[in-house]
């Protein structure tokens, strides 16, 4: 894995929105897995918890937003930082294969897990064959 593969990527224009807060915005790294019944999306968003993440679905666009409060330590000031703090934002266009009413989300240790259930017609079905 190249060094740049493990670094956070700063978003130049995350979701084409204007921000009122002057803080960097990063594109969270995402792993997407597919099961028989769902698409599972895992987004790395260090510093984000259930109170600081927003997930919106407007039309076919699913937008993940995570707000991070920079760490501060009383009596210390940063002399050198290799890890930059910033918010996260990323958007996905969903296909009609996803059942939008059953999307579930959870966050643990800075990893956001989204379960996007497949709509009924898309699920794999076994069709039995009868003799004629």
């Amino acid at each position: 894995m190249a060094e740049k593969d493990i670094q956070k990527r700063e978003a130049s224009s995350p979701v084409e929105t204007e921000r009122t807060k002057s803080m960097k915005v990063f594109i969270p790294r995402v792993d997407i897995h597919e099961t028989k019944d769902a698409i599972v999306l895992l987004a790395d968003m260090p510093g984000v918890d259930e109170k600081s993440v927003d997930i919106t679905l407007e039309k076919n666009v699913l937008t993940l937003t995570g707000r991070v409060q920079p760490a501060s330590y009383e009596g210390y000031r940063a002399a050198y930082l290799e890890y930059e703090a910033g918010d996260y934002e990323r958007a996905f266009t969903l296909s009609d294969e996803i059942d939008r009413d059953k999307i579930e989300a959870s966050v643990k240790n800075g990893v956001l897990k989204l379960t996007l259930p497949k709509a009924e017609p898309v699920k794999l079905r076994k069709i039995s064959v009868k003799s004629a």
Side-chain angles (χ1 to χ4, degrees), residues 128-132:
S128 61
V129 179
K130 299 176 184 172
S131 62

Side-chain angles (χ1 to χ4, degrees), residues 15 54-58 61-65 89-92:
V15 189
D54 287 319
I55 303 166
T56 58
L57 178 61
E58 184 175 357
V61 179
L62 180 76
T63 304
L64 315 177
T65 305
E89 199 163 272
R90 189 158 180 180
F92 299 88

Side-chain angles (χ1 to χ4, degrees), residues 10 14 16-17 23 26-27 29 36 41 43-44 49 51 62-63 67 86 89 106 108 119-120 122 128:
E10 185 175 351
E16 298 182 17
T17 57
M23 188 166 199
F26 297 99
I27 300 170
R29 298 275 182 175
K36 184 180 96 180
L41 186 149
D44 290 335
D49 61 15
K51 296 174 189 163
L62 180 76
T63 304
R67 294 171 308 283
E89 199 163 272
S106 63
K108 182 178 180 183
E120 286 298 323
V122 177
S128 61

Side-chain angles (χ1 to χ4, degrees), residues 29-127:
R29 298 275 182 175
V30 170
D31 291 333
I32 299 174
H33 304 273
E34 183 173 5
T35 67
K36 184 180 96 180
D37 298 324
I39 304 292
V40 178
L41 186 149
L42 300 170
D44 290 335
M45 301 169 84
V48 170
D49 61 15
E50 68 277 3
K51 296 174 189 163
S52 61
V53 66
D54 287 319
I55 303 166
T56 58
L57 178 61
E58 184 175 357
K59 297 182 182 175
N60 289 339
V61 179
L62 180 76
T63 304
L64 315 177
T65 305
R67 294 171 308 283
V68 174
Q69 293 297 322
S72 61
Y73 305 98
E74 191 172 321
Y76 292 93
R77 70 174 182 81
Y80 176 75
L81 298 172
E82 289 190 344
Y83 186 83
E84 293 183 85
D87 293 342
Y88 297 94
E89 199 163 272
R90 189 158 180 180
F92 299 88
T93 301
L94 301 183
S95 72
D96 292 336
E97 297 177 3
I98 303 300
D99 186 344
R100 289 155 173 71
D101 295 330
K102 296 180 180 174
I103 295 174
E104 295 180 358
S106 63
V107 64
K108 182 178 180 183
N109 297 330
V111 177
L112 174 67
K113 178 181 180 183
L114 275 166
T115 303
L116 311 169
K118 293 180 182 175
E120 286 298 323
V122 177
K123 288 183 181 175
L124 176 66
R125 315 186 297 170
K126 179 78 175 171
I127 300 171

Side-chain angles (χ1 to χ4, degrees), residues 7-24:
Q7 295 177 348
K8 292 194 292 186
R9 290 185 305 155
E10 185 175 351
S12 57
S13 178
V15 189
E16 298 182 17
T17 57
E18 294 296 327
R19 299 180 60 85
T20 57
K21 188 171 146 186
S22 63
M23 188 166 199
K24 288 190 174 186

